[in-house]
Amino acid sequence: RRRNAKPMRAPRASGSMADYSWGFGHIEALPGDPNTGRTYSTPPQAECQKLLEALAGDIGIQAVMKAHGYRVGKLTEIAPGLDTGMIGVSDVCLLGLNINKGQEIQLRLRTSDLLGVRPYWLIKKTLVHELCHNVHGDHDAKFWGLFSELMKEADSRDWTKAGGRALSDSGARSSSPPDSTSPE
């Protein structure tokens, strides 16, 4: 069974959120820093685009979105900068932003030094957090209850967290994908 399914998207002709009942309308990595106009080279836009597509196609994320009817018009990234916070420089570092209850979700993919991307598990957790803002604006008890519920739902669909098994020449053994970086 594939870990990542094809992302659910709206038809390209209209791009209207009314055209689909759940999923992502448009997925777009930033080509460069919107504040300076400088093109990103490390990691390149194509790498971040693949990461966003993987998140949108994640079986756990898709299960949550389908079960709750969540729609996101645009999934994109937040540019690291002083206005959104930088690790080691700012007191606060914004990891995600949900604009207008799912019209657009922005995720911080790149590290503050622009030399890499954040761990997949952290970005996925941030995406689930931002999906909760489709329902609850404030970080109150209802929000955190929903977050806990959605994380359990997403993890239950992820074979790497559900004790997935693979067969090898020596019989059954635990298996996880080579890019698995979750500390859990």
Side-chain angles (χ1 to χ4, degrees):
R1 197 166 146 172
R2 289 179 28 200
R3 178 182 166 104
N4 294 322
K6 185 177 177 185
M8 175 64 186
R9 297 187 190 182
R12 293 228 184 255
S14 70
S16 167
M17 287 183 66
D19 292 339
Y20 58 106
S21 59
W22 64 273
F24 298 90
H26 183 67
I27 301 169
E28 181 182 8
L30 295 176
D33 187 328
N35 299 314
T36 65
R38 194 184 99 208
T39 301
Y40 291 132
S41 58
T42 311
Q45 179 183 9
E47 183 179 331
C48 289
Q49 182 71 27
K50 286 180 185 175
L51 179 55
L52 287 171
E53 299 254 350
L55 287 160
D58 186 280
I59 290 171
I61 295 295
Q62 286 197 349
V64 163
M65 293 188 73
K66 184 175 183 179
H68 297 273
Y70 292 155
R71 300 183 304 174
V72 174
K74 182 178 182 182
L75 180 64
T76 189
E77 64 177 305
I78 294 175
L82 292 175
D83 57 330
T84 59
M86 296 181 72
I87 301 293
V89 176
S90 309
D91 291 336
V92 177
C93 182
L94 188 63
L95 296 178
L97 180 65
N98 183 323
I99 299 170
N100 202 19
K101 294 194 173 202
Q103 181 179 355
E104 181 175 333
I105 289 182
Q106 299 177 0
L107 302 172
R108 184 179 296 258
L109 305 180
R110 300 166 194 275
T111 56
S112 294
D113 61 9
L114 300 176
L115 296 178
V117 294
R118 295 181 186 286
Y120 183 86
W121 67 267
L122 177 62
I123 301 168
K124 180 178 175 179
K125 188 174 181 178
T126 303
L127 177 55
V128 172
H129 176 106
E130 296 309 324
L131 288 172
C132 291
H133 284 301
N134 282 9
V135 179
H136 301 291
D138 296 329
H139 293 114
D140 58 14
K142 290 179 185 177
F143 174 91
W144 291 113
L146 179 61
F147 176 73
S148 178
E149 176 188 328
L150 296 186
M151 284 302 300
K152 287 176 188 172
E153 286 180 33
D155 287 348
S156 73
R157 299 296 179 111
D158 183 343
W159 67 270
T160 66
K161 292 181 186 265
R165 310 290 285 180
L167 294 178
S168 69
D169 295 335
S170 61
R173 64 177 172 79
S174 293
S175 179
S176 62
D179 65 330
S180 178
T181 57
S182 176
E184 298 175 52

